[in-house]
Amino acid sequence: MNLIDKIKSGDFEFQDAVKLYDLELFELGKAANEIREKKFGKKTYFNINRHINPSNICKDICKFCAFSANRKNPNPYALNIDECVDIAKNAYKKGAKEVHIVSAHNPEVGYEYYMNIVKGIRKELPDIHIKAFTAAEVNFFSELSGKNYKEVLEDMIKAGVDSMPGGGAEIFDEEVRNKICKGKVSSKRWFEIHEYWHKLGKKSNVTMLFGHIENRANRIDHMLRIKALQEKTGGFNAFIPLVYQRKNNYLNVKEFLTGIEILKTIAISRILLENVPNIKAYWVTTTLNLSLVAQNYGANDIDGTIQKESINSAAGAASSNGLNLDELINLIKDSGYIPVERDSLYRELKIF
Ligand code: V47
């Protein structure tokens, strides 16, 4: 049996999965594309969304982060609740169906601030999808409020959160994690939070930050931990490999990923994570061009219009103003795929 068939059979050792990286890109791409086409044909999903980042003041220090206010980015801010609600209302008027709220861990503003942002948006916009707060924030909210993470998640639902984004996952390997984001939510707790969220009947995403100091085995380990929780709960909608952006941060990385390594990682994720429905080539960190190529290597989603992006653009990504809807649609079409606007839970809204 060849290696890919062995992996697909589910009966394999950890080292077998790491060996996938030794295969030729085209071989991986062919296998990943077969899975992609079986699930989605030539459809590529996107959504019309708006990112809101309420504050960049953070008690944690993640070395890869260029968004939080620090010596390299000395512009601390905290939006007030009305400002957040206004951003959501304006975005809704322009067609956004989802707001994606992620904040730095600002202890000054208090627990209720975060919940009130969601309540405020929900009150004004009853039918917008609110994707809010990573497991890292949930863990921080729990420290801030003295509530346990389960109570925080229950409060989030009461406030109006519909789903959770996949951030804060970074790399689950504890040794690497300790070097890049010591003090942030542990890998164990990250999974406990998502497991409980799924138990509450809600969906979430899961990311992986790669291309910094991790190695291939760390990435495989990361994916296999995701696969294991997905087998238990089925609650992940999408896996999102985030390519590390190098500017304005404190992580000293000498070698950067080749396009081939990025595509291999996307293809391997499609092969290993057959139980996670969607693989998102997030155009912000993959770049637009490579995201379009990635459609051929297992990816069936490239995120959305975003309107304003602050976390990755602070670290060098060309994404600060989001993407024009017509441009996004035409790029997908011109690359030979069928653009499909989806909602946040991957129901199809419009085929272009
Ligand atoms: O967790 C921070 C990453 C994440 C850098 O769920 C960086 O649909 C690259 O999670 N280079 C937040 N990445 C963003 C996120 C996300 C994005 C899009 C869609 C979804 C979703 C989730 O951004 C953080 C961190 O891993 N990040 N700094 C950097 N220098």
Side-chain angles (χ1 to χ4, degrees), residues 27 88 90 98 106 138 142 145 148 164-165 210 247 267 275 299 302 343:
E27 196 177 344
N90 283 332
E98 169 193 287
N106 182 346
V138 172
S142 159
S145 63
N148 64 42
M164 277 175 68
F210 73 116
K247 291 204 180 129
N275 62 356
I302 62 175
D343 71 6

Side-chain angles (χ1 to χ4, degrees), residues 7-245:
I7 301 286
K8 282 169 78 178
S9 77
D11 183 15
F12 62 89
E13 304 291 324
F14 178 75
Q15 280 310 328
D16 294 326
V18 180
K19 281 195 195 121
L20 283 171
Y21 272 103
D22 297 332
L23 299 179
E24 287 291 330
L25 173 62
F26 288 140
E27 196 177 344
L28 289 169
K30 187 169 172 276
N33 193 46
E34 265 170 31
I35 300 169
R36 185 240 200 259
E37 292 216 348
K38 209 161 101 198
K39 287 180 189 280
F40 307 102
K42 289 280 180 192
K43 287 177 179 169
T44 292
Y45 293 129
F46 68 91
N47 72 347
I48 304 180
N49 60 349
R50 172 63 149 98
H51 283 196
I52 304 177
N53 305 116
S55 178
N56 68 347
I57 299 169
C58 200
K59 74 154 204 43
D60 285 309
I61 303 163
C62 297
K63 288 191 180 158
F64 52 78
C65 181
F67 167 66
S68 73
N70 60 54
R71 271 182 291 128
K72 293 192 185 188
N73 174 24
N75 291 306
Y77 74 82
L79 302 177
N80 65 41
I81 290 162
D82 288 344
E83 286 172 315
C84 294
V85 174
D86 281 347
I87 293 172
K89 275 163 72 180
N90 283 332
Y92 186 75
K93 268 190 224 144
K94 288 188 199 154
K97 300 194 173 69
E98 169 193 287
V99 282
H100 175 166
I101 310 173
V102 174
S103 178
H105 307 163
N106 182 346
E108 303 297 319
V109 291
Y111 179 66
E112 288 307 323
Y113 165 82
Y114 294 100
M115 297 302 143
N116 285 339
I117 291 172
V118 176
K119 285 180 191 163
I121 295 174
R122 178 54 72 229
K123 188 162 163 249
E124 293 289 328
L125 304 169
D127 59 353
I128 202 162
H129 184 101
I130 303 180
K131 181 167 80 180
F133 305 139
T134 68
E137 287 161 284
V138 172
N139 186 60
F140 161 68
F141 296 161
S142 159
E143 290 166 5
L144 188 66
S145 63
K147 297 186 176 203
N148 64 42
Y149 70 86
K150 293 184 177 174
E151 293 168 312
V152 171
L153 293 172
E154 288 159 11
D155 283 353
M156 276 165 43
I157 292 180
K158 278 185 218 139
V161 175
D162 295 299
S163 70
M164 277 175 68
E170 322 311 357
I171 278 283
F172 292 131
D173 176 83
E174 280 73 10
E175 211 181 310
V176 177
R177 195 172 185 82
N178 224 11
K179 288 186 188 147
I180 63 172
C181 55
K182 195 173 178 178
K184 191 166 169 164
V185 64
S186 67
S187 302
K188 182 168 174 282
R189 181 49 54 89
W190 192 100
F191 277 106
E192 285 167 349
I193 289 169
H194 280 262
E195 181 167 359
Y196 190 65
W197 184 249
H198 297 166
K199 205 171 155 203
L200 293 172
K202 296 290 185 186
K203 295 283 183 183
S204 63
N205 291 334
V206 50
T207 57
M208 172 177 78
L209 181 65
F210 73 116
H212 44 89
I213 61 165
E214 91 295 349
N215 58 32
R216 288 171 164 182
N218 299 142
R219 289 179 217 149
I220 296 295
D221 166 63
H222 191 94
M223 293 179 209
L224 293 178
R225 293 192 204 198
I226 294 166
K227 191 182 176 74
L229 182 61
Q230 183 72 345
E231 265 162 27
K232 243 168 122 177
T233 67
F236 288 126
N237 262 341
F239 174 65
I240 312 165
L242 299 169
V243 181
Y244 168 68
Q245 309 293 302

Side-chain angles (χ1 to χ4, degrees), residues 258-299:
T258 60
I260 290 179
E261 190 73 5
I262 294 170
L263 290 175
K264 276 191 174 184
T265 303
I266 291 171
I268 288 171
S269 74
R270 182 62 292 172
I271 296 165
L272 272 184
L273 296 175
E274 217 174 331
N275 62 356
V276 175
N278 302 284
I279 303 292
K280 187 189 284 189
Y282 184 46
W283 65 265
V284 168
T285 67
T286 317
T287 74
L288 206 39
N289 288 340
L290 203 57
S291 297
L292 295 171
V293 178
Q295 295 174 106
N296 237 308
Y297 289 82

